[in-house]
Amino acid sequence: MNVTVADVRRVLDAAYPPELAEEWDKVGLICGDPDEPVSRVAVALDCTDAVADAALASGAQMLVVHHPLLLRGVSSVAADTPKGRILHKLIRGGVALFAAHTNADSARPGVNDRLAELLGVHPGAPLAPKPGRHLDAWVVRVPGSHAEAVKEAVFAAGAGSVGDYEACAYELSGRGQFRPGDDADPFLGERGRVEHVEELRIEFVAEPSLRSRVHAALVEAHPYEEPSFDVLESLVGDLDPEAAFGIGRVGDLDEPMPFKDFVARVGERLPATEWGVRGAGDPERIIRRVAVASGSGDSFLNVARKLGVDAFVTSDLRHHPVDEALREGGPCIVDTAHWASEFPWCGQAADLLGDALGVETEVLDIRTDPWTVAAAGHNTDTTEENR
């Protein structure tokens, strides 16, 4: 099988649908020719200079990362700028760059599923569910004489597909009426007179992305000067909350344990960083139900409290939000390094591509956590002059 950059992108987009990304996010192919061949893919969390160098040294033709290199707006990617330097390096070396960020956070399985499973937490419902996926539900009224022509036209435009089935529709007969205006050119009836017509009501679904194509096909095949139709939103997919897409996961811990032991488990099971792992809350509180949110998650502190979980694991927490959450009776809180909570996903993405495309994959085991030095304080003097 001759795999291309486009093939890798197709598999990643299917696993981590771009529509799941937050509005502010910038996911997808950042650089690279979709037609170029790929036999080896490197995976990392961030595209730093060290990661780009390692991808080139590995012989990879594509680098897949979690954090988009161009997330913040730039006006130049000149080779003497930090981001431009990396892009030029990759392009010159024939390495395409792809990012799956908040879409991978919300997907199943995704970043949050991997984090939950690693900590022994069942990856249940998301903390912030995404709206269910929708299809366009079309309702068309047409004279019986032209019903088949209209159906054939919209099906040819891509409508009427449900899973492994095609040309799917529902019909219901009824009686329609209309009165052509003075400037109308009616297919049936006369200007100024009410006309009654035996019609078929035809219902079918289509992907929202096909709306313009389906509409054009409908207008072309329909005999009326002004075709009668509606387009509604139809919720599809599994309605089980535990199957919903979204940021974070909530589930039961595999075995209840004191909070101090749970914090120790998080520290043992996540990749090591200088930042380490810290906990806030009663060390003896028994932890049974846990919420996790990979990456920066202090915006979910109140959500975790309302869900009644015993512990919440996330990253990049600040003093005041944590203090207030504890005062309000919230759960115990575990603060991890941002990189450590998300890096385990890299292995998941690498396995996905290897299984789906048969390409060689390599997780670049480079710690891109920016914190490189830590010091444990020993001064216990809290007098005013030492604050």
Side-chain angles (χ1 to χ4, degrees):
M1 177 180 179
N2 296 319
V3 177
T4 65
V5 170
D7 293 322
V8 177
R9 177 171 61 180
R10 172 179 53 79
V11 170
L12 291 171
D13 282 348
Y16 314 117
E19 59 267 24
L20 293 180
E22 300 299 308
E23 290 185 1
W24 48 264
D25 207 358
K26 306 292 185 237
V27 301
L29 190 63
I30 298 169
C31 71
D33 183 344
D35 294 328
E36 285 295 305
V38 174
S39 60
R40 186 176 182 83
V41 179
V43 185
L45 201 74
D46 302 280
C47 186
T48 62
D49 280 287
V51 167
D53 290 339
L56 288 164
S58 75
Q61 296 83 36
M62 192 161 184
L63 172 61
V64 175
V65 296
H66 184 51
H67 294 139
L69 178 65
L70 301 181
L71 180 60
R72 306 300 180 197
V74 295
S75 58
S76 170
V77 289
D80 58 354
T81 63
K83 293 181 180 181
R85 179 177 64 244
I86 293 173
L87 284 176
H88 279 260
K89 185 182 301 184
L90 292 174
I91 293 171
R92 287 169 179 158
V95 179
L97 178 62
F98 184 97
H101 191 206
T102 54
N103 49 330
D105 290 332
S106 288
R108 285 186 181 271
V111 181
N112 281 287
D113 299 277
R114 183 70 188 104
L115 174 61
E117 291 167 349
L118 191 64
L119 301 182
V121 177
H122 171 69
L127 277 168
K130 287 286 186 181
R133 177 171 169 261
H134 289 81
L135 290 177
D136 282 347
W138 290 75
V139 180
V140 181
R141 273 78 58 177
V142 60
S145 60
H146 287 71
E148 291 303 317
V150 169
K151 286 190 292 183
E152 289 178 7
V154 297
F155 294 158
S161 294
V162 180
D164 294 329
Y165 296 83
E166 297 179 349
C168 302
Y170 177 77
E171 296 179 1
L172 186 68
S173 61
R175 189 173 187 234
Q177 76 169 51
F178 52 85
R179 180 169 58 199
D182 293 340
D183 296 326
D185 183 18
F187 171 72
L188 295 171
E190 300 178 10
R191 297 188 185 99
R193 293 182 57 180
V194 174
E195 181 71 23
H196 294 89
V197 183
E198 295 300 319
E199 296 178 325
L200 285 180
R201 172 187 168 118
I202 303 173
E203 302 178 9
F204 54 87
V205 296
E207 292 286 348
S209 60
L210 298 175
R211 187 175 297 177
S212 60
R213 287 179 55 188
V214 174
H215 178 256
L218 167 64
V219 171
E220 179 68 22
H222 203 291
Y224 288 174
E225 186 178 22
E226 298 289 347
S228 174
F229 66 91
D230 301 301
V231 182
L232 311 172
E233 282 191 343
S234 176
L235 182 65
V236 296
D238 197 333
L239 299 182
D240 180 1
E242 294 209 353
F245 297 134
I247 301 293
R249 297 290 182 264
V250 180
D252 292 330
L253 191 61
D254 54 5
E255 57 175 319
M257 64 182 66
F259 180 55
K260 61 184 179 183
D261 293 342
F262 179 65
V263 175
R265 174 190 278 196
V266 176
E268 292 167 357
R269 296 190 178 184
L270 289 186
T273 62
E274 293 297 332
W275 177 286
V277 172
R278 56 186 180 175
D282 180 359
E284 302 302 327
R285 178 174 175 175
I286 300 301
I287 306 303
R288 294 182 174 85
R289 192 159 178 80
V290 178
V292 304
S294 61
S296 304
D298 62 1
S299 62
F300 298 116
L301 285 168
N302 194 44
V303 176
R305 179 181 65 81
K306 291 181 178 179
L307 290 173
V309 298
D310 301 305
F312 177 40
V313 182
T314 191
S315 307
D316 299 341
L317 294 176
R318 297 169 293 159
H319 174 92
H320 291 295
V322 171
D323 179 56
E324 291 170 5
L326 294 175
R327 289 170 186 264
E328 293 172 354
C332 293
I333 299 168
V334 182
D335 187 21
T336 76
H338 190 124
W339 174 83
S341 72
E342 296 179 330
F343 179 75
W345 164 81
C346 295
Q348 180 196 86
D351 290 343
L352 166 73
L353 293 173
D355 293 342
L357 298 172
V359 294
E360 295 182 13
T361 60
E362 178 182 355
V363 174
L364 301 178
D365 193 13
I366 298 175
R367 190 173 74 181
T368 54
D369 181 65
W371 307 105
T372 58
V373 177
H378 298 289
N379 184 0
T380 59
D381 187 353
T382 59
T383 56
E384 186 67 33
E385 60 268 24
N386 283 298
R387 289 181 185 172

